[in-house]
Amino acid sequence: MSTSLKVLFEWFPVLRKLFEAKTAEQFDDFLDLHFEECVQRMEAEAHHLNGDCEEKLSAFLAAALSMPGLSVVREGYSNGRVDLTIKSESVKSTEKRLAEAKIYSGPSYHSKAIAQLISRYSTGRQSRGYVLEYVASPDISNIVLKLRNRADKELPVEQVGCTEDRTMKWSYNSHHRHSSGELINVVHINVNLYR
């Protein structure tokens, strides 16, 4: 590794994680850390973002997520206009993830976002997708708990089993059977924009 690349990776460890990812799992590990950092940046600017429309919020998040080696496109096409398409541009591992974003408006609206991601946009080829929820209401902790409890009870959109904890605060996993027969891991990320 050249000296300048070594210095770059020392300055930006997340960049190293992206460029060294050789498997889907390693890419997802990178994306987990990167999403958390970008969501925290977004929450720190919530006083500027609260009240914005979904498109503006997703544009902000797409700009924060974009970096050398990672393409983040808004309104890319995958059997319809998906909110975010995230692609690695590495020669070692070309990975693609789709994300559907909504401003929180209750559990049924959340289920519709899952349905869009799983039933409309996803081809079944990617093993992971994201549902991003911009929460401008107070008590995000309780909102996320209610979403999980309802999902565990109703198993929406061919959900298999109960939801699972994630290390990122206000996020969780669910698994859904795609029409292809594949199981898709959906990462639910809730962004606190209440101020």
Side-chain angles (χ1 to χ4, degrees):
M1 182 181 322
S2 75
T3 305
S4 57
L5 195 53
K6 196 179 229 181
V7 169
L8 183 66
F9 286 161
E10 286 172 5
W11 286 351
F12 304 102
V14 71
L15 193 60
R16 172 180 225 136
K17 206 161 180 57
L18 170 62
F19 278 91
E20 289 181 347
K22 294 179 183 150
T23 65
E25 292 78 21
Q26 289 172 335
F27 177 73
D28 288 335
D29 288 346
F30 149 76
L31 205 48
D32 286 347
L33 293 172
H34 191 48
F35 251 119
E36 186 166 12
E37 183 180 290
C38 294
V39 163
Q40 287 181 19
R41 193 177 312 155
M42 199 171 184
E43 290 172 340
E45 297 293 338
H47 59 286
H48 293 298
L49 302 172
N50 193 332
D52 279 345
C53 65
E54 176 193 309
E55 290 77 14
K56 277 182 158 181
L57 295 169
S58 293
F60 185 97
L61 184 56
L65 285 167
S66 294
M67 63 188 299
L70 189 70
S71 164
V72 183
V73 176
R74 281 196 60 260
E75 300 294 327
Y77 192 84
S78 180
N79 199 37
R81 298 280 176 203
V82 65
D83 289 328
L84 296 176
T85 303
I86 305 160
K87 291 195 285 188
S88 72
E89 296 175 330
S90 167
V91 293
K92 292 180 181 177
S93 172
T94 55
E95 297 294 333
K96 177 179 168 183
R97 301 291 179 268
L98 304 177
E100 182 60 18
K102 299 286 183 213
I103 293 176
Y104 177 75
S105 187
S108 16
Y109 199 58
H110 182 78
S111 292
K112 286 179 186 175
I114 301 167
Q116 276 184 285
L117 178 68
I118 299 296
S119 305
R120 183 172 176 194
Y121 302 134
S122 178
T123 65
R125 185 165 299 279
Q126 290 80 35
S127 58
R128 181 181 273 194
Y130 294 84
V131 170
L132 307 165
E133 201 107 40
Y134 307 120
V135 181
S137 308
D139 200 8
I140 189 172
S141 245
N142 195 39
I143 288 170
V144 172
L145 183 60
K146 285 180 181 178
L147 285 173
R148 289 187 69 177
N149 288 339
R150 182 170 174 166
D152 290 345
K153 181 180 174 187
E154 296 177 3
L155 304 176
V157 195
E158 302 296 320
Q159 182 175 316
V160 176
C162 290
T163 59
E164 302 165 348
D165 293 334
R166 294 186 58 75
T167 55
M168 185 192 310
K169 188 170 253 182
W170 306 317
S171 70
Y172 60 95
N173 284 343
S174 61
H175 302 278
H176 301 264
R177 184 71 59 198
H178 187 266
S179 61
S180 66
E182 296 294 328
L183 197 60
I184 297 178
N185 173 19
V186 175
V187 179
H188 303 258
I189 298 175
N190 297 276
V191 182
N192 184 11
L193 297 180
Y194 180 74
R195 293 296 180 271

